[in-house]
Amino acid sequence: MNLALVDPFILAQDIPEALIARLRSSGTAVCLRFSRQGDLLASGTAKGAIAIFDLETNGVARKLRGHTPGRQVQSLSWSSSGRYLLSSSVDWKGILWDLKDGSRIRTINFGAPVFIAELHPSNHLLCAAALYEDQPVLADMSNTIAVKRTLPSLPKRSSYDQEANSEKQAAQDAKNVTTVALFTPSGNHIITGTTKGWLNIVDAKTCTVIYSVRLSAKALLLLRLTPSGRDLLVNAADSIIRTIKLPDFSDPKLDPDNIRLDVEHKFQDVVNRLSWNHVAFSSTGDYVMASTLMNHDVYIWERGHGSLVKILEGPKEELGAVEWHPQRPFVAAVGVESGRIYLWSVNTPQRWSALAPDFAEVEENVEYIEKEDEFDIHPIEELHKRRLDLEDEDVDVLTVDPPKPGQVANEFRMPVLLDIDASDSEDEIIAIGTGQYRRKSQGDQTDWVDDEDDTMDEQPATNGHSSNNSTKRRRRD
């Protein structure tokens, strides 16, 4: 119903415009991730806690605690159904959560602090993890004790390079450490980035590198894919953001020897030489977004021409992790200093003429002519008959509507805890009914009084008895 009140021209906008809300996590938030359906936002804190925000109310739907207190949560990864969440931390652990009841299904010890851990797109019991100063692993959590397979970090060189290979080159290749890893949408391949700027394509079945290309002389910090898996976003330590067109890795006829990855666009600030903290694709993949080091702005580029189209002005603090909603122009970012979560979206003034066909919006007051029978009092019998007629209507509560485009059939819906005390929204709200809230006004902070004279004449109580008597006297009068 809310969408019916919004101007359709505003719904067509695909770039967020203004800061609309602030969320306060239970601690200093350091990482974010939207669920695949976009109804929930997970945030990990510097103290090892995880908060799941319900984006309908901006309140906390669930809080998860399982990592070592005081150890930062490094990454979050959702399953395709939205029921399972994988969190990784510098405490060497990865925890797979079942959000139906908030329980821990699996806990895996990687043996080293974790850079990032990503779930398989179709199997929530399989994950790939990049580790600090250690080889990346592919972990199978089907059993209680996870089975870990080591993934290679050495790049695959061409036959010509192998013939000309020197001891110095071999020593340089040995220094490659994988910093980021993620699955392709089919799950058959893993894309990894190293500290020496190499991008490796790893076969998930054989755990071997089938293709490598060097994109930068410095480390690759973050990789992101569009939902189709045909576009790759790379953030490197050389302050250049790259987009790359990928082949269809789900094609069984794909020949690794014919793979060629070319950079489509390079996004950078050649004037101020800004470095980028975090990057993300838009929901459609048409835009690229990045937060800046030592800056409070979020930059948005259009991929078609590679031009800068928007700078989102945020709070007066540096922004870290940024995420784009998977379905609409909605952006979330984390403040580095305060740990607050900031939300940007499109300004959507409501279109009140959608409430009724004969409802007309006016720019100024007009004279209203009352109809002769508009406020007539109808007999109770007639009102009762109308009510009975409405009760005779058949209401279909069994038919399930087909899923909307981009929506998963039979998708999981997390049970939301409607406990207002657990809400960490920056704006104070109070409950007025089951699932209904309103903003807290200044009048809610004081006790009721009869009139202004009682307020002015009231004196501070000297003890508990006088305070109770004065309260009784005001109510009795």
Side-chain angles (χ1 to χ4, degrees):
M1 178 180 176
N2 291 335
L3 289 178
L5 300 180
V6 179
D7 191 336
F9 292 102
I10 294 178
L11 289 178
Q13 297 185 20
D14 51 3
I15 300 178
E17 294 180 339
L19 186 67
I20 61 169
R22 297 173 175 84
L23 305 179
R24 184 179 63 254
S25 181
S26 301
T28 303
V30 292
C31 59
L32 291 173
R33 209 67 183 270
F34 284 103
S35 64
R36 301 294 178 89
Q37 291 75 34
D39 56 340
L40 300 172
L41 176 65
S43 70
T45 68
K47 295 185 178 181
I50 301 168
I52 311 295
F53 289 94
D54 175 27
L55 296 179
E56 290 294 328
T57 62
N58 286 349
V60 172
R62 193 174 295 279
K63 294 181 179 180
L64 306 173
R65 297 185 184 275
H67 289 286
T68 304
R71 299 298 181 90
Q72 176 174 307
V73 176
Q74 284 291 103
S75 70
L76 299 165
S77 178
W78 290 86
S79 65
S80 58
S81 65
R83 176 172 177 175
Y84 303 100
L85 178 71
L86 176 66
S87 61
S88 62
S89 171
V90 295
D91 64 357
W92 301 12
K93 291 190 301 184
I95 300 178
L96 183 64
W97 305 89
D98 185 353
L99 298 184
K100 184 176 182 180
D101 54 5
S103 61
R104 281 179 277 179
I105 300 179
R106 295 286 188 272
T107 300
I108 178 173
N109 190 333
F110 288 108
V114 184
F115 272 125
I116 188 172
E118 290 284 331
L119 283 177
H120 190 277
S122 58
N123 183 5
H124 66 274
L125 295 177
L126 194 65
C127 73
L131 310 178
Y132 281 93
E133 298 182 354
D134 204 345
Q135 294 298 314
V137 296
L138 178 64
D140 186 354
M141 299 177 287
S142 301
N143 298 320
T144 305
I145 300 177
V147 178
K148 293 178 286 186
R149 300 170 63 189
T150 302
L151 299 176
S153 294
L154 294 178
K156 180 182 179 180
R157 294 185 178 272
S158 62
S159 57
Y160 174 79
D161 292 336
Q162 290 177 356
E163 294 176 358
N165 189 17
S166 63
E167 294 182 358
K168 182 178 180 181
Q169 187 181 79
Q172 290 292 331
D173 288 346
K175 295 180 181 180
N176 277 280
V177 176
T178 298
T179 54
V180 61
L182 79 164
F183 285 96
T184 58
S186 64
N188 297 330
H189 298 85
I190 304 171
I191 305 176
T192 64
T194 71
T195 53
K196 297 297 182 180
W198 283 92
L199 185 73
N200 297 326
I201 309 298
V202 182
D203 190 313
K205 293 182 179 180
T206 61
C207 293
T208 58
V209 178
I210 63 173
Y211 177 80
S212 297
V213 60
R214 193 171 193 183
L215 300 178
S216 170
K218 296 187 177 180
L220 304 186
L221 305 178
L222 186 64
L223 303 177
R224 284 298 170 89
L225 285 171
T226 54
S228 65
R230 300 301 297 273
D231 300 284
L232 177 67
L233 183 64
V234 181
N235 182 28
D238 59 2
S239 303
I240 299 178
I241 302 172
R242 298 168 175 85
T243 56
I244 301 173
K245 282 287 186 181
L246 298 180
D248 186 4
F249 287 108
S250 61
D251 186 1
K253 298 180 180 179
L254 179 68
D255 185 3
D257 295 333
N258 294 329
I259 297 178
R260 293 293 181 271
L261 302 185
D262 297 323
V263 176
E264 177 190 37
H265 289 297
K266 292 183 178 181
F267 304 99
Q268 58 183 322
D269 189 331
V270 296
V271 177
N272 299 319
R273 300 289 182 181
L274 293 176
S275 298
W276 314 107
N277 283 338
H278 204 273
V279 296
F281 270 125
S282 66
S283 55
T284 59
D286 295 333
Y287 298 94
V288 171
M289 174 183 63
S291 60
T292 53
L293 181 67
M294 304 298 292
N295 200 319
H296 58 270
D297 294 332
V298 177
Y299 285 65
I300 299 177
W301 295 272
E302 194 265 335
R303 283 185 57 205
H305 301 88
S307 58
L308 181 67
V309 295
K310 188 73 174 180
I311 298 179
L312 298 178
E313 296 184 0
K316 301 303 180 183
E317 66 171 320
E318 181 183 348
L319 298 176
V322 292
E323 294 290 337
W324 195 301
H325 193 276
Q327 298 176 4
R328 54 193 177 97
F330 187 87
V331 169
V334 169
V336 173
E337 298 175 6
S338 66
R340 287 189 178 95
I341 300 172
Y342 300 94
L343 306 178
W344 287 265
S345 185
V346 178
N347 288 323
T348 55
Q350 291 182 330
R351 192 164 49 94
W352 297 106
S353 58
L355 290 173
D358 57 346
F359 192 97
E361 298 183 16
V362 295
E363 298 295 335
E364 57 184 10
N365 292 337
V366 297
E367 183 179 355
Y368 177 73
I369 301 176
E370 179 183 335
K371 298 179 181 179
E372 185 175 353
D373 59 345
E374 184 173 2
F375 297 105
D376 289 351
I377 300 176
H378 298 281
I380 298 179
E381 295 79 6
E382 183 178 349
L383 297 177
H384 183 63
K385 183 177 181 301
R386 293 180 183 176
R387 190 179 302 112
L388 292 177
D389 292 340
L390 293 176
E391 291 179 356
D392 292 339
E393 294 182 1
D394 294 332
V395 180
D396 185 7
V397 296
L398 300 177
T399 303
V400 179
D401 294 334
K404 299 177 181 179
Q407 194 176 27
V408 180
N410 300 323
E411 64 182 13
F412 169 76
R413 291 291 181 182
M414 189 182 73
V416 177
L417 305 178
L418 295 177
D419 183 4
I420 196 62
D421 294 333
S423 175
D424 285 348
S425 175
E426 188 74 7
D427 300 322
E428 293 188 74
I429 55 178
I430 59 176
I432 59 176
T434 304
Q436 299 179 352
Y437 308 97
R438 67 174 174 84
R439 300 296 179 192
K440 187 174 182 180
S441 63
Q442 295 181 355
D444 296 324
Q445 301 176 357
T446 58
D447 294 334
W448 65 273
V449 291
D450 289 338
D451 51 38
E452 295 181 359
D453 294 338
D454 289 342
T455 306
M456 298 298 294
D457 296 339
E458 184 178 356
Q459 299 295 329
T462 55
N463 53 53
H465 295 289
S466 61
S467 175
N468 293 335
N469 292 335
S470 63
T471 302
K472 293 179 180 179
R473 182 168 56 254
R474 288 201 309 272
R475 295 183 177 180
R476 184 169 56 252
D477 295 337

